[in-house]
Amino acid sequence: MSKPPAASLANMDVEQFELWKNMLEQRTGMALTEARKPYLELCIAQRLKALSLEQYMDYYHYLVSGNLAEKAMEWSVLVDRLTVQETSFFRHPSSFELVNRELEAFYRANSKGYWNAWSVGCSTGEEPYSIAMLAHQVAQRYGREKQFGVMGTDISLFTIAAAREGKYRVTRLNNVSPEHQAQFFNKLSDGQLQVNEALRERVCFARLNVLELKKTPINNMNLIYCQNMLIYFRRWRRHEIVRRLSERLAVGGVLVLGLGELTEWRLPGLKRIEMADTLAFRRVAENN
Ligand SMILES: C[S@@+](CC[C@H](N)C(=O)[O-])C[C@H]1O[C@@H](n2cnc3c(N)ncnc32)[C@H](O)[C@@H]1O
């Protein structure tokens, strides 16, 4: 039987909190605030119990010692618990309106070629599937419903696994129109709705830490959609990530961020798109 966590667990001291904070920020970018300390303590207490360890630092040493690859699964469990994964279909309507306009412009201007999109920090898949529904709808009008692809990436293995399945409770689909529900979802025997095969085959998912963008062979994107993830990062890190993401855009491609997630920011080759209630940039020139 696993041992209960030790009584002294209730108090993670300041130095210990600093250690955890630093490790988490270094590995995920997430800047943990003091307000999240009780939550961190709770998550670690649960993992201590599961692993029959006793103290916060036992778990810390367990995670940082030995072969990093060996500890990857346990690290994934912790990251999964600590990251905020809240999401929904068509979460920010104005941004999706912008995506719709971009799609129209793309298929109108290009008689051939694929439209490629990337949802960064895609959580359980609602965001990339929303983009895919719009892409399908527009591409179909041009008789090209197979000429687009959407990729969703996230640091959490567990959200990626759920995204691949594409199964949602009915209440999760409140923002999905009845027409889209009928066209893109199948009802399962347990009452859940699953994204149908035709749409799922246009969407792929991969685990990716945005801090490791340097080694990521993703390029030539028509759309990079990154919302509600950068808010957990420090300003300098947001700038760094956005710079790297913008390098992955095709000329003419668009980067859509969450409102207020980036302030006073300019980058040569990128031009702000003036559309109310959105924060988006277009690549107007080749990368240097
Ligand atoms: C609040 S959710 C946002 C989901 C979706 N983009 C939306 O706006 O609805 C933030 C997501 O970012 C992911 N995330 C956090 N840190 C990350 C990192 N370093 N690399 C990739 N994804 C990360 C989390 O796992 C989580 O699924």
Side-chain angles (χ1 to χ4, degrees), residues 8-288:
S8 58
L9 257 188
N11 306 314
M12 178 185 281
D13 65 35
V14 179
E15 278 159 36
Q16 286 179 356
F17 184 55
E18 275 304 302
L19 275 176
W20 279 102
K21 231 171 67 170
N22 290 341
M23 178 171 71
L24 285 163
E25 186 166 357
Q26 229 172 49
R27 293 196 186 183
T28 70
M30 235 186 322
L32 221 58
T33 58
E34 186 69 30
R36 296 270 289 165
K37 184 167 170 252
Y39 188 64
L40 173 70
E41 288 169 347
L42 180 72
C43 291
I44 299 178
Q46 287 167 346
R47 296 315 300 154
L48 288 175
K49 202 164 174 211
L51 295 165
S52 296
L53 296 173
E54 291 194 357
Q55 302 289 334
Y56 296 124
M57 292 315 287
D58 295 342
Y59 185 51
Y60 182 90
H61 292 304
Y62 176 82
L63 279 175
V64 298
S65 63
N67 183 335
L68 202 64
E70 273 174 24
K71 303 291 166 69
M73 191 39 87
E74 183 54 35
W75 177 247
S76 292
V77 174
L78 183 66
V79 165
D80 187 62
R81 303 263 163 103
L82 287 174
T83 46
V84 179
Q85 293 159 353
E86 186 192 338
T87 186
S88 57
F89 286 100
F90 298 104
R91 183 171 184 178
H92 187 244
S94 310
S95 297
F96 283 103
E97 178 53 38
L98 189 150
V99 171
N100 211 31
R101 285 191 200 178
E102 288 301 312
L103 278 157
E104 277 291 345
F106 176 85
Y107 286 101
R108 204 178 320 117
N110 302 281
S111 57
K112 52 184 182 173
Y114 275 63
W115 184 84
N116 291 307
W118 178 15
S119 157
V120 185
C122 68
S123 189
T124 40
E126 288 87 334
E127 186 175 278
Y129 287 128
S130 301
I131 296 170
M133 284 185 254
L134 292 183
H136 186 284
Q137 195 176 17
V138 177
Q140 192 173 38
R141 257 189 272 124
Y142 290 82
R144 295 166 60 190
E145 64 275 15
K146 290 199 185 293
Q147 292 184 13
F148 75 90
V150 182
M151 176 169 47
T153 60
D154 200 284
I155 195 173
S156 158
L157 270 179
F158 301 91
T159 61
I160 286 297
R164 280 199 187 111
E165 273 206 309
K167 289 184 191 168
Y168 303 95
R169 287 194 308 276
V170 176
T171 48
R172 304 280 307 156
L173 272 80
N174 286 343
N175 297 339
V176 182
S177 70
E179 294 76 26
H180 277 159
Q181 289 195 25
Q183 187 176 3
F184 298 116
F185 290 83
N186 294 325
K187 187 139 193 177
L188 302 175
S189 53
D190 62 4
Q192 293 193 91
L193 293 166
Q194 184 171 32
V195 180
N196 68 18
E197 209 43 50
L199 198 68
R200 288 222 314 272
E201 74 180 19
R202 305 250 56 82
V203 185
C204 69
F205 293 96
R207 184 190 170 273
L208 175 72
N209 182 346
V210 275
L211 301 193
E212 291 162 10
L213 283 175
K214 223 193 226 170
K215 352 179 202 163
T216 310
I218 302 174
N219 284 303
N220 250 347
M221 289 287 131
N222 300 99
L223 169 73
I224 298 180
Y225 199 98
C226 179
Q227 291 195 338
N228 302 303
M229 180 192 70
L230 295 173
I231 38 171
Y232 302 104
F233 297 176
R234 288 181 205 279
R235 227 165 87 119
W236 69 265
R237 210 186 279 280
R238 295 183 198 189
H239 288 188
E240 174 69 15
I241 292 168
V242 169
R243 188 179 61 74
R244 289 202 186 284
L245 287 177
S246 69
E247 289 167 358
R248 308 312 169 100
L249 286 170
V251 173
V254 169
L255 172 67
V256 179
L257 303 174
L259 270 184
E261 289 185 336
L262 205 65
T263 47
E264 297 157 32
W265 184 78
R266 278 164 174 276
L267 202 67
L270 282 200
K271 192 165 177 274
R272 174 88 193 259
I273 297 178
E274 299 299 336
M275 180 171 162
D277 194 37
T278 63
L279 179 61
F281 302 87
R282 186 182 309 284
R283 171 156 289 290
V284 290
E286 292 287 354
N287 294 315
N288 293 319

